[in-house]
Amino acid sequence: MDMILDIATWVLLLAGSVLLLITGFGLLRLPDLYTRIHAGGMADTLATFLIFVGLSFQSGFSLVSVKLLLVIVFIFFTSPTASYALAQASFVAGLKPKLDGFGARERAKEDA
Amino acid sequence: MSFGFFNYWVFIILLMIGLYTVMSRSNLVKKMIGLSLFQISVFLFYISMGKISGGTAPIVVDGPLDTAAPIYSNPLPHVLILTAIVVGIATTALGLSLVVRIRESFGTIDEEEILEMKDGA
Amino acid sequence: MMIYAITAIAILISIALALTRAIMGPTSYDRILSANAIGTKTVLLIGVMGFLAGRPDFLDLALVYALVNFIGTLAVLKYFKFGTLRGTLSKPADNS
Amino acid sequence: MLLLIAGTMSVLFVRNLFVATMLLGIVSFTMALIFISLDAVDVAFTEAAVGAGISTVLYIGTLALVGSQEKDKPKFAAGPMVICLVVGAVLYYATYEMPRFGEPNNPVHTHVAPRYVNDSPTEIGVPNMVTSVLASYRGYDTFGETTVIFAAGIGVLLILRQRRRRKNEDDETDVPLDKGKTGQSGSLSGLGSQHDLVPHVIAKLLIPFIFVFALYVQYHGDYGPGGGFQEGEIFAAGIILYALVFSLDYARSVVSEKAILFLISAGVLLYGGVGIASMMLGGNFLDYNVLASDPVAGQHLGILLVELGVGITVTAAMLAIFYAFVGRADLIAAKAEQEEN
């Protein structure tokens, strides 16, 4: 039983770490703000979920795991809200997404 | 080996940055930020003095721990810094409110402009 | 357990990347985003470090961050959306 | 650690004050992490509650009032730089005289700390040594700190609310004091926009949890990290969140400014009152042993009450500061409106 839990923890934490690294690189490498919000907001939340669930396997059922669950719930609520508010505020402020892919081609076609 | 002093070095660098910010920037809000940095460096210094390697946080563990007698880090600096942080934010707020008033009276928060104004008057 | 250390290192790298973004960040929104991301990662790191040190009863801290970080971000965004907290000034400049 | 240095450096070089504020927040995050790794859980707790929420809000509030662009003048100040380098060099030289980091036999650890560490569990009966040292052994200090916070709160109120009072004396047709009732939209009460719906709902969900958690921190402070100072910060942060998401006027209707003034003093009075009570019962000032039949229970009761006092004061002071800053914006706007008319 312990073995299974350990393995589960390993898997979850590793997955979380990989996601976090992806988040970091996404924040750094993606071209404009909205894609960065995408990277930061979503992968982060999932990584939090994975890592804390992994940790709570280790702690067993106690006050600690309850706290872990609470943190998960809070992050689950706050992080997307913050991302939303951020995207919305920047959109209102008039920051346009970079459209050099699909949208640009469409517009070029319209122009032609 | 030289790692033994690493914390102190970081403290010094932070302190220098804070000091430089306070002295060289003429913007008053920037000065307050520099002051906060200065404060943070001092906090870091105190806390690193209180650390004992291999120690743990100074909260008594009731369960049986692996070691026979756990070493606790020194709680005294923690207490001092804990209050200092809260007092620090309160005093920062006071300073910032003064900045706001200065802005209202002089129309600027730049130290040099204020001084020029005074000379001109 | 080693996995805690691995995770902690991954989080640290991630924080470093986000910090780079915060320092470079062309617009202010980028910086807010990375500040928020660093906050989330701090929560994670606190949790992992608690387990790493073998004293996982310090999750209160993670809770505080999870709650309070949100407030900071919201305040900043409020400031942006309504120009300033009041709206007397022009739009804050994007570039540093 | 290196992250911290990088963050700080960047604070120095960024000219936009707003960005500097964000970076300061990041520095504070890293700071809290370092505190944790140095075993200072309580300190990290305080830093978390202060740095992430309140101080950012404060700086933002100030920037809203004074504008966020530093004067465009990239100059290199030679004199201060030299002074800084000299100070740094002296300190660097001094570190070699410092005791090595983390040794158990450093002078700091041999003076009074062993007594705190060894006797605190039996004398006070509180597992968290930081709490026991804070509230009991060094009760005088903490009383002083609380008074400082009290003074700072009052000071901010005096500085930032001054003009309103004078104006009210000058002409009676001035803005009514509580503009919320007249339906005037205040600084943060641009709440009409339906785009705020998501934050509204989430904030409604979260605020009760924040309050419950603050109380948990307050009363769990004897056993885990936490205590009055942290509780105050978190509680104030909850109300600030309410004020941010809804509007200042709503928050004012929950906790009015008069109530804040009352609470600020009530906290300090409670702290002092515990001291006086212990004097009345035959002990020294702030000597909790006499508060209950046996010393340990007395200590427990005393710490609880004192922490409560601290918590109340800190909450009220932080709220007073916040109200003063945001209310100031209202005042300025009201004045501008008046001048236009």
Side-chain angles (χ1 to χ4, degrees):
Chain A
M1 191 58 199
D2 269 1
M3 188 69 184
I4 299 172
L5 279 184
D6 273 359
I7 291 173
T9 313
W10 267 88
V11 170
L12 286 174
L13 259 68
L14 270 184
S17 313
V18 171
L19 270 174
L20 274 177
L21 286 181
I22 292 174
T23 314
F25 281 112
L27 276 180
L28 197 60
R29 297 282 309 165
L30 283 175
D32 79 333
L33 178 72
Y34 294 95
T35 44
R36 279 184 218 132
I37 292 176
H38 187 75
M42 302 193 173
D44 247 15
T45 317
L46 182 57
T48 317
F49 185 74
L50 289 176
I51 288 181
F52 277 7
V53 168
L55 288 182
S56 64
F57 279 159
Q58 282 297 309
S59 69
F61 191 76
S62 61
L63 187 63
V64 173
S65 59
V66 171
K67 278 182 197 162
L68 283 170
L69 279 179
L70 274 180
V71 174
I72 291 176
V73 170
F74 286 149
I75 292 276
F76 216 77
F77 279 123
T78 57
S79 172
T81 314
S83 306
Y84 161 80
L86 180 60
Q88 205 258 329
S90 56
F91 193 73
V92 167
L95 206 68
K96 287 282 170 290
K98 212 184 224 169
L99 297 171
D100 50 355
F102 181 70
R105 235 179 292 140
E106 292 282 294
R107 244 180 299 137
K109 221 184 280 175
E110 274 169 27
D111 288 347
Chain B
M1 182 208 94
S2 63
F3 190 76
F5 296 121
F6 185 61
N7 273 30
Y8 299 139
W9 291 341
V10 173
F11 147 70
I12 290 171
I13 293 170
L14 275 181
L15 191 132
M16 279 164 64
I17 294 175
L19 196 62
Y20 181 70
T21 318
V22 172
M23 290 202 296
S24 68
R25 301 294 141 143
S26 57
N27 188 303
L28 288 175
V29 177
K30 201 57 172 287
K31 271 185 198 294
M32 289 309 295
I33 290 178
L35 216 54
S36 311
L37 285 180
F38 201 94
Q39 236 177 14
I40 284 178
S41 76
V42 176
F43 297 161
L44 175 63
F45 179 60
Y46 266 66
I47 298 296
S48 23
M49 288 210 302
K51 164 83 177 169
I52 299 178
S53 358
T56 177
I59 294 173
V60 178
V61 237
D62 34 0
L65 212 68
D66 310 346
T67 50
I71 314 162
Y72 297 111
S73 285
N74 193 343
L76 187 56
H78 297 186
V79 174
L80 297 179
I81 294 311
L82 193 154
T83 48
I85 290 179
V86 182
V87 169
I89 190 70
T91 43
T92 307
L94 196 62
L96 286 176
S97 68
L98 279 175
V99 171
V100 170
R101 290 287 294 165
I102 287 173
R103 154 88 181 183
E104 279 169 14
S105 310
F106 293 91
T108 176
I109 49 167
D110 198 286
E111 193 186 37
E112 291 172 3
E113 286 177 14
I114 294 172
L115 286 178
E116 279 167 22
M117 228 178 265
K118 207 173 143 200
D119 290 342
Chain C
M1 271 206 349
M2 212 175 62
I3 182 68
Y4 296 144
I6 295 175
T7 316
I9 290 169
I11 297 172
L12 273 179
I13 294 173
S14 186
I15 288 183
L17 291 174
L19 184 64
T20 326
R21 174 48 72 193
I23 293 169
M24 291 180 1
T27 65
S28 299
Y29 296 103
D30 281 306
R31 289 165 213 245
I32 304 171
L33 173 64
S34 50
N36 192 25
I38 288 180
T40 317
K41 277 158 201 150
T42 315
V43 174
L44 284 173
L45 195 52
I46 289 170
V48 174
M49 264 162 67
F51 276 82
L52 194 62
R55 298 196 67 182
D57 19 356
F58 302 144
L59 281 163
D60 294 356
L61 267 164
L63 268 172
V64 175
Y65 260 123
L67 291 173
V68 174
N69 184 24
F70 176 62
I71 296 174
T73 314
L74 268 193
V76 171
L77 291 174
K78 217 61 180 181
Y79 166 73
F80 264 95
K81 225 191 226 166
F82 302 113
T84 66
L85 286 180
R86 171 70 217 185
T88 45
L89 284 164
S90 59
K91 200 178 110 226
D94 286 357
N95 276 312
S96 56
Chain D
M1 278 301 204
L2 293 175
L3 285 182
L4 183 66
I5 297 179
T8 348
M9 290 297 272
S10 55
V11 172
L12 176 61
F13 292 117
V14 166
R15 186 158 303 109
N16 188 328
L17 290 173
F18 168 75
V19 175
T21 310
M22 289 316 290
L23 289 175
L24 195 65
I26 294 178
V27 169
S28 153
F29 282 135
T30 21
M31 221 40 220
L33 281 176
I34 291 170
F35 284 153
I36 292 189
S37 61
L38 292 177
D39 292 343
V41 188
D42 278 87
V43 180
F45 209 136
T46 324
E47 181 77 36
V50 170
I54 311 253
S55 83
T56 316
V57 170
L58 263 185
Y59 276 109
I60 295 294
T62 317
L63 292 185
L65 292 176
V66 301
S68 69
Q69 202 55 247
E70 197 176 349
K71 201 170 63 170
D72 201 28
K73 194 175 56 172
K75 60 160 189 187
F76 179 80
M81 187 49 127
V82 169
I83 296 178
C84 283
L85 286 179
V86 168
V87 169
V90 170
L91 284 173
Y92 177 74
Y93 177 70
T95 50
Y96 284 104
E97 306 292 319
M98 286 291 295
R100 188 134 301 199
F101 171 70
E103 299 274 322
N105 299 325
N106 285 354
V108 201
H109 306 309
T110 50
H111 191 47
V112 284
R115 182 174 135 71
Y116 290 156
V117 173
N118 296 328
D119 297 350
S120 150
T122 45
E123 277 184 6
I124 317 275
V126 168
N128 187 351
M129 282 174 224
V130 175
T131 307
S132 66
V133 175
L134 176 81
S136 186
Y137 290 115
R138 303 196 69 86
Y140 282 22
D141 282 9
T142 313
F143 188 47
E145 311 270 13
T146 317
T147 321
V148 171
I149 293 169
F150 165 75
I154 297 286
V156 170
L157 276 186
L158 281 180
I159 291 172
L160 287 188
R161 284 182 57 192
Q162 195 183 22
R163 183 166 293 168
R164 172 191 295 188
R165 214 185 304 131
R166 205 189 303 149
K167 258 170 61 181
N168 274 349
E169 285 163 6
D170 285 349
D171 51 350
E172 280 122 38
T173 58
D174 203 23
V175 238
L177 269 179
D178 40 0
K179 289 164 53 186
K181 296 202 176 108
T182 60
Q184 243 292 333
S185 66
S187 72
L188 293 166
S189 47
L191 79 165
S193 101
Q194 73 271 26
H195 294 300
D196 278 355
L197 191 60
V198 176
H200 270 205
V201 173
I202 298 294
K204 262 185 205 160
L205 274 174
L206 281 184
I207 286 171
F209 283 107
I210 293 181
F211 287 158
V212 170
F213 182 64
L215 289 177
Y216 164 78
V217 168
Q218 164 89 56
Y219 293 110
H220 197 69
D222 302 355
Y223 302 98
F229 285 102
Q230 291 93 334
E231 183 271 347
E233 302 290 352
I234 298 171
F235 212 90
I239 296 180
I240 287 176
L241 174 63
Y242 186 65
L244 279 176
V245 173
F246 296 95
S247 81
L248 187 63
D249 300 327
Y250 277 73
R252 275 207 183 115
S253 67
V254 177
V255 189
S256 71
E257 290 186 357
K258 270 189 189 143
I260 283 179
L261 281 179
F262 173 72
L263 285 176
I264 281 191
S265 359
V268 179
L269 281 180
L270 180 58
Y271 201 137
V274 173
I276 303 285
S278 55
M279 264 166 91
M280 293 284 183
L281 290 169
N284 289 324
F285 186 64
L286 291 177
D287 179 8
Y288 314 129
N289 284 343
V290 289
L291 282 182
S293 46
D294 78 300
V296 173
Q299 290 282 359
H300 227 97
L301 182 65
I303 288 178
L304 204 64
L305 285 176
V306 163
E307 291 271 7
L308 188 63
V310 171
I312 291 174
T313 307
V314 173
T315 311
M318 291 299 148
L319 277 180
I321 291 169
F322 175 72
Y323 278 10
F325 269 92
V326 181
R328 190 73 191 174
D330 275 349
L331 272 178
I332 293 171
K335 210 178 72 186
E337 257 169 46
Q338 210 178 24
E339 277 163 11
E340 272 173 28
N341 291 341

